[in-house]
Amino acid sequence: EPEVTQTPSHQVTQMGQEVILRCVPISNHLYFYWYRQILGQKVEFLVSFYNNEISEKSEIFDDQFSVERPDGSNFTLKIRSTKLEDSAMYFCASSPGQNKHGYTFGSGTRLTVV
Amino acid sequence: GQQLNQSPQSMFIQEGEDVSMNCTSSSIFNTWLWYKQDPGEGPVLLIALYKAGELTSNGRLTAQFGITRKDSFLNISASIPSDVGIYFCAGQAGNNRKLIWGLGTSLAVNP
């Protein structure tokens, strides 16, 4: 069964450093997303990406965040200068382009900012 | 903003019992999705609902899209130990593709 792959599974970084989280969405999907989940809290939407541009972003997705689809397979989330409160699980997801909106999520990257 | 109220927050049941959890919203949703999340893993889609009144089953799981489009429930029949995890409802409104999430229901099953 096709799956969304995320790397790394766990990243520890120092406050102020830049991190790049990587995702390989399902190959024939057209919509790509990043969500995050702070420990013990609900999943929160960050950004959606379609046709090589951001289609929607949340208040959380400020200037410190950026996304890119550098080639035909990868979808990355960059945090420019990490803060302690960026520590969370970051989930990538993709969905097909039809009316059905069901997503497939990756296993997540646990980001720990120290 | 749009919010989903999911209940109960947690459940502790005996193996073999049936389980029911639900989500409500103050606004209309066009899609309801139910996910299960195991520790350290990403959410896994259990059931997707696209029409008001729709009742869909996936094995021992049954979910319904409320006719008011403001609620959904998930039932698990004859629970087993591997049902343990956190169950999330999520919904989509309008033409938005982003998911609005409930806070989750943590399920523990006593063998």
Side-chain angles (χ1 to χ4, degrees):
Chain A
E1 185 165 331
E3 55 182 33
V4 174
T5 306
Q6 287 187 245
T7 55
S9 57
H10 191 186
Q11 176 139 12
V12 181
T13 188
Q14 289 209 324
M15 192 169 54
Q17 295 295 306
E18 173 184 288
V19 295
I20 297 177
L21 310 182
R22 303 179 191 281
C23 170
V24 179
I26 293 175
S27 61
N28 62 351
H29 282 187
L30 301 180
Y31 292 85
F32 314 114
Y33 313 84
W34 284 100
Y35 286 78
R36 79 170 185 192
Q37 185 180 32
I38 294 171
L39 186 64
Q41 298 187 22
K42 67 179 178 181
V43 180
E44 300 173 292
F45 170 77
L46 292 178
V47 66
S48 59
F49 192 86
Y50 171 72
N51 201 25
N52 285 321
E53 61 184 18
I54 291 173
S55 51
E56 189 175 2
K57 61 183 181 180
S58 70
E59 295 171 349
I60 304 168
F61 194 87
D62 60 22
D63 292 343
Q64 295 283 73
F65 292 88
S66 62
V67 289
E68 200 176 35
R69 188 154 163 82
D71 51 45
S73 59
N74 290 284
F75 180 52
T76 62
L77 174 69
K78 181 193 291 186
I79 309 175
R80 236 176 298 280
S81 177
T82 50
K83 304 186 287 287
L84 294 176
E85 54 264 39
D86 293 328
S87 296
M89 283 287 284
Y90 287 81
F91 293 107
C92 173
S94 67
S95 68
Q98 311 101 316
N99 290 331
K100 302 292 187 187
H101 292 179
Y103 290 28
T104 302
F105 280 83
S107 296
T109 294
R110 179 172 296 283
L111 176 66
T112 303
V113 182
V114 298
Chain B
Q2 293 157 324
Q3 290 190 5
L4 291 183
N5 299 309
Q6 186 172 349
S7 64
Q9 186 176 352
S10 62
M11 302 182 75
F12 187 87
I13 61 170
Q14 294 294 121
E15 183 177 359
E17 288 184 358
D18 297 344
V19 170
S20 185
M21 60 193 78
N22 70 86
C23 273
T24 60
S25 169
S26 57
S27 55
I28 289 173
F29 281 77
N30 295 328
T31 301
W32 286 94
L33 306 170
W34 284 93
Y35 285 88
K36 180 178 182 236
Q37 186 179 27
D38 292 326
E41 298 292 324
V44 174
L45 182 65
L46 300 174
I47 293 180
L49 302 161
Y50 301 106
K51 290 193 305 188
E54 182 179 355
L55 182 71
T56 298
S57 292
N58 178 9
R60 292 178 296 106
L61 277 60
T62 302
Q64 184 157 32
F65 192 145
I67 56 173
T68 66
R69 296 168 65 192
K70 292 183 179 181
D71 64 306
S72 176
F73 71 75
L74 174 71
N75 288 343
I76 305 172
S77 63
S79 58
I80 59 178
S82 61
D83 290 334
V84 165
I86 301 179
Y87 292 79
F88 288 96
C89 64
Q92 289 172 303
N95 292 321
N96 267 332
R97 286 188 170 263
K98 72 178 182 186
L99 293 180
I100 309 297
W101 292 76
L103 285 172
T105 295
S106 178
L107 178 64
V109 179
N110 191 28

